[in-house]
Amino acid sequence: MLTAGVDFYCAIGDRDYGMRDFSVRDPDGNQIGMGAALNHQP
């Protein structure tokens, strides 16, 4: 995605709240976020 010139608002990463997610901005400035739950074993 970086080579395509995507503007990352928030880089891909594992979050303290149990998600792996990221956010990008489209050419109109809209923020688009995507993520998935991390399955942590106790």
Side-chain angles (χ1 to χ4, degrees), residues 8-35:
F8 275 90
Y9 178 77
C10 181
I12 297 170
D14 294 348
R15 311 294 176 213
D16 293 336
Y17 45 84
M19 296 284 290
R20 176 174 293 140
D21 62 6
F22 68 96
S23 298
V24 296
R25 281 203 184 124
D26 71 8
D28 293 323
N30 299 302
Q31 180 182 338
I32 302 167
M34 297 178 203

